[in-house]
Amino acid sequence: MKKLIICAICVICGFVTADAQKFALIDMDYILRNIPAYERANEQLEQVSRRWQAEVDALYTEAQTMYRTYQNEVVFLSAEQKQQRQDAIMEKERQAAELKRQYFGPEGELFKKRQSLMNPIQEEIYNAVRDVAELRGYQLVLDRASDTGIIFGSPRVDISNEVLQKLGYSN
């Protein structure tokens, strides 16, 4: 009788353990590399970023040019002229710093542009992952590309290709 109870407990524990192991892995980097819209969005962001950086650099270069000119002419300037030139240089540096903050700051234009381009793609991926997970009965889907500490993941539990197929990108 004891053996029967122990066997029953082992079988029940086995079913519970097997049921609890419904998880899958995805490789978000792999998925994103295979979505053309993501690549186009990255190219757009890179172009905008370069253009805005050129504007900021132009202001800093202008400030540096003003400073070099000031240094060359400082001996010929009156105290009032020196102060005016120093103020103009400082104002140009302030403008450059403000423009840099406006474009590249935490709530800057680049951040907003990245959100507007990437959010629809991320939402589409999330929906596809959710659909595949619900279809296959996964309770947990982990991203092996993130810093979650996954050392090894069997390719059998990787659903990245299924997600790409759900999104309409065969690979």
Side-chain angles (χ1 to χ4, degrees):
M1 185 70 171
K2 269 185 169 177
K3 287 183 182 180
L4 185 61
I5 293 174
I6 291 174
C7 286
I9 291 173
C10 288
V11 169
I12 291 171
C13 288
F15 285 130
V16 170
T17 304
D19 187 45
Q21 293 181 1
K22 290 190 176 189
F23 64 92
L25 296 176
I26 61 169
D27 186 340
M28 189 60 83
D29 290 340
Y30 172 76
I31 291 170
L32 290 173
R33 280 193 313 268
N34 286 285
I35 297 178
Y38 178 76
E39 293 299 321
R40 286 191 303 272
N42 268 338
E43 288 172 16
Q44 247 185 308
L45 287 170
E46 187 63 33
Q47 289 172 356
V48 166
S49 178
R50 278 195 303 266
R51 187 176 69 234
W52 288 342
Q53 187 62 48
E55 287 180 39
V56 171
D57 289 345
L59 283 176
Y60 277 124
T61 301
E62 195 175 332
Q64 289 173 346
T65 302
M66 290 170 68
Y67 181 71
R68 280 194 294 274
T69 303
Y70 168 77
Q71 283 182 322
N72 291 336
E73 298 173 354
V74 71
V75 293
F76 304 113
L77 299 174
S78 67
E80 184 179 311
Q81 290 173 324
K82 286 179 188 179
Q83 187 61 45
Q84 287 175 344
R85 295 268 182 103
Q86 289 172 358
D87 291 345
I89 293 167
M90 288 173 49
E91 176 61 23
K92 189 60 71 177
E93 288 175 343
R94 189 198 61 73
Q95 288 174 356
E98 175 61 27
L99 189 62
K100 184 175 182 177
R101 187 198 61 72
Q102 178 185 344
Y103 285 152
F104 302 107
E107 295 294 321
E109 295 299 317
L110 187 63
F111 175 78
K112 292 174 186 172
K113 183 84 168 164
R114 177 173 280 119
Q115 274 192 317
S116 71
L117 291 173
M118 295 300 181
N119 277 355
I121 296 168
Q122 290 171 338
E123 185 71 25
E124 188 178 11
I125 292 170
Y126 170 78
N127 289 334
V129 169
R130 186 192 63 222
D131 291 347
V132 169
E134 287 175 357
L135 179 70
R136 303 264 309 263
Y138 295 123
Q139 298 163 343
L140 178 68
V141 178
L142 300 171
D143 179 12
R144 73 170 53 202
S146 67
D147 293 332
T148 59
I150 297 173
I151 296 171
F152 173 77
S154 173
R156 291 186 313 231
V157 296
D158 191 327
I159 61 170
S160 299
N161 285 325
E162 288 180 61
V163 171
L164 282 171
Q165 287 174 347
K166 182 79 174 165
L167 291 168
Y169 303 106
S170 296
N171 202 19

